Structure formats: C-alpha cells, structure tokens
Amino acid sequence: MSLFPTYNRFPLTIVSGEGTNVTDDKGNTYLDFVSGIAVCNLGHRPPEVQSALEKQLGELWHVSNLYQLPKQEQAANLLTEATNLDYVFFCNSGAEANEAAIKLARKHTQRETIVTFKQSFHGRTFATMSATGQEKIQQGFGALLPTFEYLPFNDEKAVNELEGDDIAAIMVEVVQGEGGVVPGTKAFLEAVQQKCEELGALLIIDEVQTGIGRTGAPFAHQLYNLDPDIVTSAKGLGSGFPVGAMLGKEKLVDAFSAGSHGTTFGGNPLASTAVCATLETIFDESFLEDVQSKGEWLRSQLEEDLLPLSLVKEVRGKGLMIGIQLEEEAIPLVHKLRENGLLAVVAGPKVLRLLPPLNVTKDEMTKAVSIMKQVLQEHSSLQNV
C-alpha cells in the first residue's frame, strides 16, 4: 500500500455506477445515497455530461488560462445568470474556492479578520482549516492563522454583539454539512447579513455542499433571500469532474486584477464542459421544483418511519440534503446499511447523512427508506435486549 492513510476507508471497492446505483468488485449492487458526498448530483455517469465530455476529449483537454476560453465564459455566464453575482473565478475544489474568497475579501477590504462559526467546515488547506470551526480538523498542525474568529452557529445574540473595525468578512454555511446537516434559521442568517452591512464587511456564503441544486434552488442562500458578496461552489458543480468556483459582485473585480490570483488547471476546457452540461440540466426551474418536492417527501417518510424509534431524535435538512440525528454513534449503522444495500455517510459522530442524486426516483427513495427502517429497527431491538 503506497497511499498515505488519510482516509478511514470502508471495505468496499466500487467498480461501476449508473444513475443512483453502483456495483462493487464482487458483483453486489447498492443504492448510492452518498453521491461522492454531494458531488454526483445527476447520479453516476449522467449521459448529458458524459457525451459533452467525450466530445471535448476529442477536441482539446487543456490550455493555459493565459488564452481565451469560450467554454469557461459560458460556464461563468450560467452561474451569474442564476444568481445576483457578477464575476466568477474557477479553480479545482471547494477548499480552493474558499481560499480565493478569503484572499479576495482581505484584499478588497484591506482588513484581516474573518468571522466564521463553530462546527463549520470550509476545507483542509491552512487558511480554510483555520476558518473551520472544528478542533478535530485543526489538531496537530501547530499554530493556526490568527485572523479567524468563531461564533456559535444559529446564535443571533452573538452575531448582534459582534464588533470591530478590522472585520473583512463573515463566512457562513446556510446549512452546516460536515457539522451535522444543521440548517441556519432565517433570523440568524438575516442577522449575519445585517451585521455585515453594519460593519462594512463582506458576506461570504460557502455553498460547496449546499449549492448546485442540492437544496432545491441553484444555491441555498436563495431560499432565504440573502444577498451575499461572495459565494463559493464545488462538489456538484461538475458532476464528478474536479472543479470549483468563487462567485463575486462587480464591486470586487478590481481586487482580483491580472496577477493577483491564479491556478493552472481551474476552468480548463474539460472542467468547463462538465460545468456547462451539469448546470444546463440542474438549473432548469422544473428540475429544481422536483428536487424540493422529493426532499419534502423523503423527509416526511423518514420522520413517519424512523421518529417512533427511540434511537432517532430528529430528521432535518433542506432539499435532498438530509441529516438523521441519533442517540448514539452513527458509524455502526452506516456499515449495517451498506451490508443491506444502501450507502450513507455520517455528518459528525451521531448524524446519518443522506445525499442522493437529485434525479433519484420515488421508487429508489422508497427502497432506501425501507432499508433504513429495517436496519434501525433491528439495531434498536438488539440494544433493548
């Protein structure tokens, strides 16, 4: 084994996938309600994205960002047309998008402090690890960057009491993903926006996991009528092709002039092709309405079947981003679900997280709920023996 052991890997080798289904090297099939952790928002190998990439593979893979890239312009236009933002910087991941957001905020405001929230997750580079409000992510790496402050999530009072003339931005997730699938309240998120206006700070919304239709809107902040200065995106942006993006308002454009930031691979022809093919499908209004209705149906079924169990405390989320809060550790149940043909993942120690493809069918959701009910019932029965 020549890989650094940076992942606790499951005993599963997936060799093929199509739609919501994947197959392992032993021929077993599974319903994939992980989707690469909110990456495969159109399922595995969506035909519209695959055909576009195959065509692009026969034309051009990569050229430098020093040249004009029409497909990149098209991808940027799709993002700005779906938001109140004006410019896009393409990179390769969510962490890189958040790095760009942090740099842009500090350069534009000429201030240094970025306020984030406890239990947030913004990445594992040094700046984004420092922005992340979780000690387990930060342990062992020595002194963090000192220009980050952390407030309690969903605490309006803490936001309202925030003061300082060196605050460049407040950075927030509309729904904390790795922190437990915890939606922000409308009052809290509005307080964050108001405080940014009061302090002359920028509002940065990390939509790496919540964006690209996952919550039933192009971006989750739109469900709350928020008006961010910067939005970051990745994961579902390219249907599995590595790509990230930072979107910003027109007033910020001068701070990211030529030479101020860059990337070798960001937004290259292959990445931009994947983005265009993905967004042209997901940003369709009827598609997004369908995601909202599926999410409401799935949460209601999970509440009906699972909340009666003493093991289950709460079912929460937005759209097809769902967390099931348990009374005990969730990872043993992830293993049991896998053994019964359903892939899920945790979001913190006691939360089961479901992230099915956005085009999941009702039959597939019904099957997933049935598997969950059976596994959790059996587990509860064993615990009560």
Side-chain angles (χ1 to χ4, degrees):
M1 174 67 74
S2 301
L3 295 169
F4 276 105
T6 51
Y7 304 99
N8 286 319
R9 298 186 191 271
F10 297 127
L12 175 64
T13 302
I14 296 171
V15 296
S16 65
E18 183 174 2
T20 312
N21 297 284
V22 293
T23 303
D24 69 14
D25 56 351
K26 298 178 177 61
N28 301 308
T29 60
Y30 306 83
L31 275 176
D32 185 1
F33 273 44
V34 178
S35 302
I37 312 184
V39 167
C40 301
N41 282 6
L42 291 174
H44 293 274
R45 297 190 301 110
E48 58 271 53
V49 182
Q50 182 170 331
S51 62
L53 281 170
E54 287 172 349
K55 181 176 183 293
Q56 187 63 47
L57 281 166
E59 297 174 356
L60 185 67
W61 293 16
H62 178 81
V63 292
S64 171
N65 273 301
L66 295 174
Y67 305 113
Q68 301 296 320
L69 296 170
K71 186 63 74 170
Q72 189 181 100
E73 289 284 349
Q74 182 184 346
N77 287 339
L78 288 169
L79 287 167
T80 57
E81 287 167 3
T83 64
N84 289 330
L85 299 152
D86 304 297
Y87 287 89
V88 181
F89 172 81
F90 284 108
C91 50
N92 307 289
S93 69
E96 285 186 44
N98 284 333
E99 284 273 349
I102 290 164
K103 288 180 67 174
L104 178 57
R106 288 181 54 155
K107 190 155 189 260
H108 173 76
T109 62
Q110 292 296 293
R111 302 174 181 180
E112 294 192 355
T113 301
I114 309 281
V115 176
T116 66
F117 294 89
K118 294 176 182 178
Q119 295 306 119
S120 62
F121 182 81
H122 299 294
R124 294 178 184 270
T125 64
F126 222 88
T128 59
M129 175 181 68
S130 298
T132 293
Q134 298 189 51
E135 288 185 9
K136 68 178 183 179
I137 304 296
Q138 303 165 338
Q139 288 174 351
F141 296 101
L144 302 172
L145 297 184
T147 55
F148 292 92
E149 296 180 6
Y150 316 101
L151 297 181
F153 189 68
N154 270 341
D155 188 332
E156 295 167 59
K157 183 172 183 289
V159 171
N160 290 332
E161 291 175 351
L162 184 64
E163 295 179 350
D165 57 8
D166 191 44
I167 297 174
I170 302 178
M171 188 175 192
V172 66
E173 298 162 277
V174 173
V175 182
Q176 287 193 331
E178 303 300 319
V181 192
V182 181
T185 65
K186 191 173 191 297
F188 164 73
L189 293 167
E190 288 176 348
V192 170
Q193 179 163 295
Q194 184 175 343
K195 180 57 66 170
C196 286
E197 294 169 0
E198 178 186 318
L199 297 174
L202 300 181
L203 174 58
I204 303 173
I205 298 186
D206 179 340
E207 295 252 20
V208 170
Q209 189 166 152
T210 54
I212 318 303
R214 176 55 56 183
T215 64
F219 292 96
H221 72 266
Q222 294 167 323
L223 299 173
Y224 295 82
N225 294 317
L226 299 175
D227 187 24
D229 299 290
I230 298 173
V231 168
T232 56
S233 178
K235 287 192 180 290
L237 185 59
S239 292
F241 198 98
V243 60
M246 180 202 67
L247 292 69
K249 287 192 170 180
E250 185 173 10
K251 66 182 181 182
L252 307 175
V253 70
D254 290 342
F256 257 21
S257 56
S260 60
H261 195 49
T263 170
T264 296
F265 297 107
N268 75 11
L270 287 174
S272 296
T273 295
V275 171
C276 289
T278 300
L279 299 187
E280 284 167 355
T281 297
I282 291 178
F283 283 1
D284 178 80
E285 187 175 343
S286 61
F287 184 95
L288 292 168
E289 289 173 355
D290 196 40
V291 172
Q292 288 192 32
S293 63
K294 285 176 183 176
E296 290 167 4
W297 184 87
L298 181 54
R299 285 196 306 278
S300 68
Q301 291 301 116
L302 289 167
E303 288 172 352
E304 182 178 326
D305 286 0
L306 302 186
L307 282 181
L309 302 174
S310 60
L311 174 65
V312 179
K313 290 179 65 176
E314 184 183 12
V315 177
R316 58 181 180 248
K318 291 282 184 184
L320 287 170
M321 181 179 181
I322 297 173
I324 301 167
Q325 181 74 51
L326 305 177
E327 294 282 2
E328 60 183 69
E329 297 287 312
I331 194 65
L333 288 159
V334 169
H335 292 303
K336 284 290 184 185
L337 290 170
R338 185 187 70 251
E339 291 166 7
N340 284 268
L342 176 64
L343 302 184
V345 69
V346 299
K350 295 184 178 182
V351 179
L352 279 172
R353 180 170 30 161
L354 302 179
L355 298 162
L358 306 184
N359 51 4
V360 64
T361 67
K362 191 168 184 179
D363 285 346
E364 289 167 337
M365 291 190 292
T366 300
K367 182 178 179 182
V369 173
S370 177
I371 293 171
M372 294 199 73
K373 181 178 180 180
Q374 176 188 337
V375 167
L376 269 64
Q377 278 181 333
E378 290 176 356
H379 185 81
S380 296
S381 298
L382 288 172
Q383 296 302 102
N384 293 329
V385 171

